[in-house]
């Protein structure tokens, strides 16, 4: 896949020599969790930020007053961005989510701004292509298979080993990720994912018609936030994910920092992620990596060319003294703030959705907020909204944040606060799904 400079025409050329030094374009889906933290970070640092999205009629002013795109038409969106840059130049173009990183890379390439090659961003977003590239580069990967849903399954699954994990090739937030321990479970999971893909709004046929299957990797899971500068990786923080993530679904819950992994393991983690970035060709901007660690070493689950999902970026303030979004914006401008690490530990819980239905209320929020070391309890989903758990869902009920003298105490506080909550859900009867019902924002 060629870089953007060769992939698109240039009927509009935007001058960059007089680029405004502190104006950034952020391309973001209208329901992204990340937009508000980026806007807050920009305000804190005196950075002008313009939101580009499809939300022309949004009630949120940042979307309504921003640049309006049709993200389904890459060429038209690109030309809209170039016209705006010609009117008032940008110093950087960023994509907040998987759905926008490729367009951001193309626009930055056209404007002569630091960027990742679009082929690299595409690889990072496509799980099947990423697996193939890592294997080609010698980065350890589990045995894997690609299922074409337009063909009969029987001939494609004969050699699959169990337990295995089935994944859509282009969805995020563990959506559609299902473990199978035998042939029957694999067949059922593939059918379930096929239904999900049909309604997921994926624009490319290849992404709607393929499933990645890979051998299940046992072990401890960790997440890593980093920044790339001309291919050099700076690790911002390593998060422990202390809950066992063994399936059948893989819902994110606890993120704890600083990591309690020993120094040699952290070094191997760093080296493996660096090798993955190099294999993809990623060179600039934020990366979010998910890894499994066991006796055989460090295994890459994903390296995405974006920041972490949800509101967990708040935890970077504990480790660096600066929010993740501030770090990303300043990095895009070529600025390097001082980092002031704090002692102790911090953590976040992405509150899982307990069951499908209509949310009636969440009880115990005040009690959860009074648990020692808990900083905040945030419930995002309003009463009356539909709850859709994994593997079909893509959102969380909310977040709990804690800060404590140690990582272990922060984790214990989050667990105690979660135990205070009681989520009351009304069953969703057949036919209600077609009625007018709200949904919480996506974590993609």
């Amino acid at each position: 896949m060629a870089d953007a400079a060769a992939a698109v025409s240039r009927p509009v050329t935007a001058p960059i020599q007089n680029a405004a030094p502190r104006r950034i374009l952020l391309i973001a889906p209208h329901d992204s969790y990340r937009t508000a933290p980026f806007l807050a970070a920009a305000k804190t640092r005196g950075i002008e930020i313009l939101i580009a999205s499809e939300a022309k009629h949004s009630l949120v002013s940042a979307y309504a007053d921003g640049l309006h795109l049709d993200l389904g038409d890459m060429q038209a969106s690109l030309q809209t961005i170039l016209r705006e840059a010609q009117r008032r130049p940008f110093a950087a173009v960023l994509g907040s989510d998987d759905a926008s990183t490729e367009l951001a890379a193309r626009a930055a390439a056209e404007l002569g701004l630091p960027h990742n090659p679009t082929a690299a961003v595409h690889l990072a977003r496509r799980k099947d292509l990423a697996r193939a590239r890592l294997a080609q580069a010698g980065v350890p990967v589990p045995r894997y298979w690609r299922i074409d849903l337009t063909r009969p399954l029987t001939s494609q699954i004969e050699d699959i080993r169990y337990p295995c994990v089935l994944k859509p090739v282009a969805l995020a937030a563990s959506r559609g990720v299902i473990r199978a321990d035998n042939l029957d479970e694999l067949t059922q999971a593939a059918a379930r994912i096929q239904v999900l893909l049909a309604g997921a709004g994926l624009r490319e046929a290849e992404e709607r018609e393929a499933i990645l299957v890979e051998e299940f990797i046992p072990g401890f899971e960790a997440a890593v936030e980093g920044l790339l500068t001309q291919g050099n990786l700076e690790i911002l923080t390593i998060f422990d994910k202390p809950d066992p993530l063994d399936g059948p679904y893989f819902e994110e819950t606890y993120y704890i920092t600083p990591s309690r992994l020993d120094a040699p393991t952290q070094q191997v983690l760093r080296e493996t992620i660096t090798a993955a970035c190099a294999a993809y060709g990623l060179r600039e901007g934020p990366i979010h990596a998910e890894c499994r660690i066991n006796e055989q070493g460090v295994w890459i689950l994903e390296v995405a060319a974006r920041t972490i999902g949800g509101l967990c970026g708040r935890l970077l303030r504990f480790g660096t003294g600066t929010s993740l979004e501030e770090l990303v914006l300043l990095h895009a401008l070529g600025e390097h703030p001082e980092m002031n690490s704090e002692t102790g530990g911090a953590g976040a819980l992405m509150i899982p959705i307990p069951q499908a239905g209509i949310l009636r209320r969440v009880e115990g929020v005040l009690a959860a907020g009074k648990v020692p070391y808990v900083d905040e309890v945030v419930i995002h989903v309003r009463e009356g909204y539909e709850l859709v758990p994994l593997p079909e869902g893509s959102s969380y009920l909310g977040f709990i944040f804690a800060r404590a003298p140690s990582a272990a105490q922060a984790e214990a506080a989050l667990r105690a606060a979660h135990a205070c909550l009681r989520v009351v859900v009304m069953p969703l009867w057949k036919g209600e799904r077609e009625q007018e019902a709200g949904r919480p924002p996506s974590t993609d």
Side-chain angles (χ1 to χ4, degrees), residues 277-431:
C277 290
Y280 296 164
L282 295 174
R283 295 187 52 80
E284 292 291 336
I287 63 101
H288 170 72
E290 303 275 353
C291 304
R292 283 281 173 112
I293 303 164
N294 58 27
E295 293 179 354
Q296 284 71 49
V298 172
W299 303 82
I300 297 291
L301 298 181
E302 72 164 338
V303 178
R306 54 162 172 79
T307 60
I308 191 173
L311 299 181
C312 292
R314 291 186 185 184
L315 295 178
L316 269 289
R317 189 174 293 281
F318 167 83
T320 65
T322 305
S323 75
L324 176 59
E325 292 76 19
E326 288 176 71
L327 292 172
V328 170
L329 293 176
L330 292 172
H331 177 270
L333 296 173
E335 300 175 18
H336 305 283
E338 277 191 32
M339 303 229 191
N340 302 307
S341 296
E342 300 180 22
T343 59
L349 167 65
M350 289 173 269
I351 305 171
I353 289 175
Q355 66 186 85
I358 302 299
L359 178 64
R360 302 303 297 170
R361 61 188 178 277
V362 180
E363 300 173 349
V365 174
L366 290 178
K370 293 179 180 178
V371 171
Y373 304 129
V374 167
D375 280 347
E376 188 178 12
V377 180
V378 180
I379 303 298
H380 269 300
V381 185
R382 297 199 300 272
E383 295 177 9
Y385 273 51
E386 181 184 352
L387 300 180
V388 182
L390 285 177
E392 285 78 15
S394 62
S395 59
Y396 306 103
L397 190 64
F399 299 83
I400 304 175
F401 298 93
R403 187 184 305 247
S406 70
Q409 287 170 298
E411 180 185 339
L414 292 172
R415 293 188 185 279
H418 188 208
C420 294
L421 300 181
R422 179 173 178 266
V423 183
V424 181
V425 180
M426 181 179 71
L428 183 66
W429 304 108
K430 185 176 180 180

Side-chain angles (χ1 to χ4, degrees), residues 35-373:
T35 307
F38 270 112
L39 290 170
K43 184 176 180 180
T44 297
R45 294 288 179 168
I47 298 168
E48 181 183 354
I49 190 166
L50 180 68
I51 302 297
S53 76
E54 294 181 304
K56 184 176 182 179
H57 303 294
S58 174
L59 297 178
V60 180
S61 60
Y63 289 122
D65 299 338
L67 199 62
H68 301 135
L69 307 177
D70 176 4
L71 294 178
D73 188 334
M74 182 78 73
Q75 178 65 20
S77 294
L78 181 61
Q79 295 307 316
T80 299
I81 291 169
L82 296 182
R83 281 191 289 272
E84 175 63 23
Q86 190 172 47
R87 187 183 73 85
R88 285 192 59 212
F90 299 108
V93 180
L94 301 174
S96 68
D97 301 69
D98 289 333
S100 58
T101 51
E102 286 187 54
L103 175 58
R106 289 191 175 200
E110 287 286 326
L111 295 170
L113 301 170
H115 66 284
N116 284 310
T118 54
V121 176
H122 186 69
L123 275 172
R125 192 177 63 82
R126 277 285 299 271
K127 296 178 177 66
D128 55 338
L129 303 179
R131 277 284 178 256
R133 180 57 61 87
L134 292 178
Q136 182 183 29
V139 179
V141 297
R143 189 176 180 186
Y144 64 93
W145 303 262
R146 187 180 184 276
I147 291 177
D148 182 347
L149 293 172
T150 66
R151 297 171 46 217
L153 281 183
T154 306
S155 62
Q156 301 183 71
I157 62 178
E158 293 174 348
D159 297 329
I160 290 178
R161 297 178 181 178
Y162 301 96
C164 65
V165 178
L166 292 80
K167 304 177 177 181
V169 300
L171 294 182
S174 300
R175 193 177 183 200
V177 181
I178 305 175
R179 171 173 165 160
D181 291 341
N182 53 55
L183 177 60
D184 286 344
E185 290 183 4
L186 183 147
T187 303
Q188 293 168 16
R192 191 170 180 178
I193 294 171
Q194 187 170 20
V195 172
L196 169 62
L197 292 176
L202 295 168
R203 295 183 172 93
E204 295 183 22
E206 191 175 19
E207 296 175 356
R208 298 192 301 269
E209 297 168 354
I211 296 175
L212 175 69
V213 183
E214 59 188 31
E215 287 185 297
F216 172 73
I217 308 168
F220 181 81
E221 195 159 312
V224 175
E225 295 302 302
L227 286 170
L228 286 166
T229 306
Q230 296 181 353
N232 296 312
L233 177 63
E234 175 188 7
I235 299 292
L236 299 175
T237 194
I238 300 173
F239 294 112
D240 290 344
K241 299 167 72 172
D243 270 0
L245 296 170
D246 294 330
Y249 316 124
F250 296 86
E251 190 164 42
E252 304 274 22
T253 50
Y254 295 92
Y255 273 63
I256 309 296
T257 188
S259 174
R260 288 160 280 183
L261 295 170
D262 60 43
T265 301
Q266 291 192 31
Q267 181 59 30
V268 176
L269 191 67
R270 180 188 307 271
E271 292 169 356
T272 307
I273 295 169
T274 298
C277 290
Y280 296 164
L282 295 174
R283 295 187 52 80
E284 292 291 336
I287 63 101
H288 170 72
E290 303 275 353
C291 304
R292 283 281 173 112
I293 303 164
N294 58 27
E295 293 179 354
Q296 284 71 49
V298 172
W299 303 82
I300 297 291
L301 298 181
E302 72 164 338
V303 178
R306 54 162 172 79
T307 60
I308 191 173
L311 299 181
C312 292
R314 291 186 185 184
L315 295 178
L316 269 289
R317 189 174 293 281
F318 167 83
T320 65
T322 305
S323 75
L324 176 59
E325 292 76 19
E326 288 176 71
L327 292 172
V328 170
L329 293 176
L330 292 172
H331 177 270
L333 296 173
E335 300 175 18
H336 305 283
E338 277 191 32
M339 303 229 191
N340 302 307
S341 296
E342 300 180 22
T343 59
L349 167 65
M350 289 173 269
I351 305 171
I353 289 175
Q355 66 186 85
I358 302 299
L359 178 64
R360 302 303 297 170
R361 61 188 178 277
V362 180
E363 300 173 349
V365 174
L366 290 178
K370 293 179 180 178
V371 171
Y373 304 129

